[in-house]
Amino acid sequence: MATTKTIYLTRYYHLADGDSAITALPKVESELMQTTPDGKTDASTELLHQSNIFAILTLILNISLSIFLIIVVFVEINLTKIGSLTATNKAVYVIGTGLLASTCTFLTSTQIRTLWLRLVDIRLHRGVSMAQVNPLWRTILGVGTIMEIWEHWHTFLALVTCGLTTTAIIAGLTSSPNTYVISQNYALADPNPYLCTAVVNSDPGVSAWRLANGSFFVVNLDRTSCPARDTLSSIGTINAVNASTYCYADQGVAVKKSALGAPASIYTSEMAPDGSSVMLWLGTTLQTYQSSLLSTTQCVPVLTANPIQCRKESNVAFSGGYLSITTSDGCSVTTNPGTAADTATDGWTAATMCLHDDVGQATILLGSLNLDALYLAESIGDMDWLAHVDPLARQEPTLYGAVCTVNSAPVIQTQTVTLTMGDQSETVNSFSRSIHGDSRGCTPVALSNETFQDPINDKLRAIAALGPWQPLNTGLLEYVGQPLESSGSVSDASNLTSFVRQPPYAFKNSRNALEDVLGLTSALALSRITVTGSTGAVDYVGHATIANTRVGTGKLWALFYMLPPMISSITLTALLFATRRQVPCTSSELNGLVSFLNQRKP
């Protein structure tokens, strides 16, 4: 079998006299000569085959990474359905992205240096001296001096940018908190009668409004499970110190000004009792998403203003042991304190509600004696009257009266409210949950299998109007002191004006503490409709916000992370184009360096 031997034939070309010692080195041209078995040589030159396959694959890798870093900004790629990654999963994810980033950076840096060294090889092959290419060669290898790096700053900058690929990938693909929205059902009271409200044909005499068709809309005030009998126990949660933070607390939720009267069924975390016609959807959602449930949003009826306005009423009398108060429209009340009060010192209050006209309209009367008269004047903020009363030198019974008009119909409106669940930025005092609304009106969306019914109906108007009934009939001024007055000045107890509670109030149209507290009892009664009394309900569709973990931040500024791999792609493309010419040997290999050195020997 014939064998082929290879030999190098070297020809020397001496430069002209006067060249420097370095440039005067002989030019070398190596030709690969093949000797056939008969001893003849083939003068054809065979250049070194240098494959670009790895450089091209690295280019594709960097382009793919750039595109992916753009995609994760605009497309949510979720790592979890709910909550954050576990400690183990997060460690695995961080290590994985770190390995990917480091590998990509290593491969890219290697290929950029290899192609740039090939550019040096081409210059050497063209006859450029080693002294001229040496600074570039050292900069490419990362051993250049400051001056050499400064001279070839573009090469240095390209390599530094390539090195930033690790940071860009890790930061661009970091696991980040994210939220997404799901449908969340909620229940509102339907307009149909139930055990707490009814429409009857005969006049029941009390707690009823006459309707246009001659029938009567009645609110049951005897059942303890009805909303109108469930307000006194909640008055203690009214925030009389600073209503601008929250107005009252219910079910462990701080209720703000913009969500007064919102149905408790949308914020109670309890499960609906067996047999209840109202589905408490929040409890079901909490079971599924637990602490990952951040908030819920729904369109519900709320009190947009105070339905009650109070003023002083002078037509109050105490005669023959009877305390009475009467208004010009015929509403009146008379009581006999009897032995329950010392008419010279102890307090007593006669109170009643008169229902009239349309459903939701009423008149409240309060006639007070002695200490109760002082409390009533303080709660209504009658500074002039209080300034002329000496509580320590009374010689005869002190009287004070107040009349309040009630009209719940125009102030009950549907608005969008949001319940926040355990968000530290929304924490109100000691309450991690709070509910607030906005001023935008809305129309609730019923479930597809439900027939839409107006959520604002006579049931809501009547129960809201009768919210003050229980406190009025169980001693409002005796048992509800704090919300109605300030703490006053201990050192000057005789200055009654110091006990007048000043704003802020819960309602924007409240003028004094009395009507503000009575208005809040309306809100509390309204909120209890769907959780007490087993009313019928209609299910509607709202939204819930769930916390999870995604790839990347999803912010537009994260687009900057695609720059390092994109710039590296451009660098690789330019170098592939510039080094498409083949050379006999390469300075990126040790034997290639030896070959270059041998060629430079005289």
Side-chain angles (χ1 to χ4, degrees):
M1 181 176 179
T3 59
T4 301
K5 295 185 296 180
T6 59
I7 62 172
Y8 283 99
L9 179 64
T10 304
R11 292 196 295 265
Y12 297 91
Y13 299 89
H14 294 279
L15 300 180
D17 294 338
D19 287 344
S20 64
I22 295 178
T23 57
L25 291 175
K27 292 184 178 180
V28 180
E29 183 182 75
S30 296
E31 299 174 351
L32 183 64
M33 307 295 293
Q34 291 186 335
T35 303
T36 60
D38 57 4
K40 297 181 181 180
T41 59
D42 186 355
S44 62
T45 300
E46 182 178 319
L47 299 178
L48 179 67
H49 177 70
Q50 296 170 314
S51 174
N52 291 328
I53 183 64
F54 290 111
I56 294 173
L57 290 176
T58 304
L59 172 61
I60 294 173
L61 174 62
N62 278 271
I63 293 175
S64 300
L65 283 172
S66 300
I67 295 173
F68 187 67
L69 288 171
I70 295 174
I71 289 175
V72 297
V73 172
F74 298 102
V75 179
E76 288 188 9
I77 302 176
N78 294 320
L79 296 173
T80 63
K81 180 180 179 181
I82 61 173
S84 57
L85 291 170
T86 64
T88 301
N89 290 341
K90 187 171 184 179
V92 171
Y93 183 77
V94 170
I95 292 172
T97 54
L99 287 174
L100 171 65
S102 300
T103 302
C104 180
T105 302
F106 173 77
L107 293 175
T108 305
S109 175
T110 299
Q111 292 305 314
I112 288 177
R113 293 178 191 275
T114 299
L115 291 174
W116 226 305
L117 286 173
R118 191 181 298 176
L119 194 61
V120 171
D121 300 340
I122 293 174
R123 293 182 181 180
L124 288 172
H125 186 65
R126 288 176 176 174
V128 178
S129 68
M130 287 188 175
Q132 289 178 301
V133 298
N134 186 59
L136 174 59
W137 186 75
R138 286 169 55 82
T139 301
I140 295 170
L141 295 180
V143 295
T145 64
I146 294 178
M147 293 305 298
E148 289 171 340
I149 292 174
W150 178 260
E151 180 182 356
H152 299 283
W153 61 269
H154 55 286
T155 302
F156 174 75
L157 185 60
L159 293 172
V160 169
T161 303
C162 174
L164 290 174
T165 301
T166 299
T167 302
I169 294 175
I170 292 176
L173 302 183
T174 186
S175 59
S176 303
N178 184 47
T179 60
Y180 63 95
V181 177
I182 63 171
S183 295
Q184 163 72 15
N185 297 339
Y186 62 98
L188 297 179
D190 64 17
N192 302 324
Y194 71 121
L195 60 86
C196 296
T197 61
V199 177
V200 298
N201 294 323
S202 58
D203 187 357
V206 293
S207 64
W209 285 271
R210 187 182 184 90
L211 301 177
N213 60 4
S215 59
F216 296 86
F217 191 95
V218 183
V219 177
N220 192 331
L221 299 176
D222 296 326
R223 287 184 175 269
T224 56
S225 60
C226 289
R229 293 289 299 270
D230 198 27
T231 57
L232 185 62
S233 60
S234 301
I235 285 183
T237 68
I238 292 176
N239 181 9
V241 178
N242 185 7
S244 60
T245 56
Y246 75 97
C247 299
Y248 62 85
D250 187 26
Q251 305 286 324
V253 176
V255 181
K256 298 187 177 182
K257 287 185 174 184
S258 51
L260 298 176
S265 56
I266 69 171
Y267 57 76
T268 180
S269 55
E270 298 178 358
M271 299 297 293
D274 293 339
S276 174
S277 57
V278 178
M279 181 64 182
L280 302 181
W281 293 98
L282 181 61
T284 303
T285 305
L286 279 172
Q287 283 189 336
T288 303
Y289 296 98
Q290 302 177 5
S291 60
S292 297
L293 176 62
L294 297 182
S295 65
T296 63
T297 301
Q298 43 272 308
C299 177
V300 299
V302 298
L303 289 181
T304 58
N306 195 338
I308 301 174
Q309 299 289 294
C310 299
R311 58 178 173 80
K312 179 181 178 181
E313 173 58 56
S314 301
N315 194 13
V316 57
F318 181 71
S319 176
Y322 286 89
L323 177 64
S324 62
I325 182 171
T326 306
T327 61
S328 58
D329 60 2
C331 184
S332 64
V333 60
T334 300
T335 62
N336 180 8
T339 59
D342 183 342
T343 57
T345 57
D346 292 345
W348 188 262
T349 297
T352 191
M353 288 190 72
C354 300
L355 311 187
H356 55 78
D357 299 329
D358 298 329
V359 175
Q361 292 183 285
T363 298
I364 296 175
L365 282 182
L366 289 163
S368 298
L369 174 69
N370 295 334
L371 287 178
D372 276 15
L374 301 182
Y375 293 150
L376 184 57
E378 289 167 358
S379 69
I380 210 168
D382 194 339
M383 295 292 195
D384 292 337
W385 189 88
L386 292 170
H388 293 85
V389 174
D390 185 354
L392 303 179
R394 294 196 308 272
Q395 300 298 322
E396 57 185 26
T398 303
L399 298 174
Y400 195 90
V403 59
C404 305
T405 58
V406 182
N407 189 5
S408 62
V411 298
I412 301 178
Q413 299 177 15
T414 52
Q415 291 190 354
T416 302
V417 299
T418 299
L419 170 68
T420 58
M421 308 286 295
D423 185 352
Q424 293 302 314
S425 63
E426 292 290 340
T427 297
V428 180
N429 293 353
S430 59
F431 300 99
S432 61
R433 300 180 184 180
S434 64
I435 186 168
H436 65 278
D438 56 36
S439 58
R440 295 174 299 173
C442 60
T443 301
V445 179
L447 287 176
S448 57
N449 59 340
E450 296 277 0
T451 301
F452 176 78
Q453 301 182 57
D454 190 349
I456 301 176
N457 47 63
D458 283 346
K459 181 189 296 186
L460 273 63
R461 299 183 186 101
I463 290 177
L466 286 168
W469 179 87
Q470 187 184 32
L472 289 173
N473 285 272
T474 52
L476 175 69
L477 299 177
E478 288 84 354
Y479 300 109
V480 192
Q482 183 186 12
L484 290 174
E485 61 181 6
S486 69
S487 58
S489 172
V490 177
S491 61
D492 188 15
S494 62
N495 182 12
L496 297 179
T497 58
S498 66
F499 290 91
V500 175
R501 180 186 155 199
Q502 301 295 333
Y505 298 124
F507 294 98
K508 59 185 178 182
N509 63 327
S510 291
R511 300 168 299 180
N512 53 67
L514 177 62
E515 64 188 28
D516 197 57
V517 171
L518 292 177
L520 287 175
T521 63
S522 293
L524 287 166
L526 182 63
S527 70
R528 314 308 294 171
I529 295 178
T530 50
V531 293
T532 59
S534 299
T535 180
V538 178
D539 290 330
Y540 297 88
V541 181
H543 300 94
T545 302
I546 310 298
N548 72 325
T549 304
R550 61 164 290 168
V551 175
T553 63
K555 308 296 183 182
L556 286 178
W557 53 261
L559 290 173
F560 286 105
Y561 292 138
M562 53 77 65
L563 290 178
M566 182 58 70
I567 292 174
S568 295
S569 300
I570 295 173
T571 302
L572 284 168
T573 302
L575 288 174
L576 282 170
F577 181 79
T579 59
R580 63 189 184 277
R581 178 181 176 182
Q582 302 293 329
V583 293
C585 52
T586 173
S587 60
S588 62
E589 298 178 359
L590 187 58
N591 58 349
L593 286 173
V594 173
S595 177
F596 273 121
L597 290 174
N598 288 334
Q599 291 174 6
R600 296 301 184 181
K601 291 181 180 179

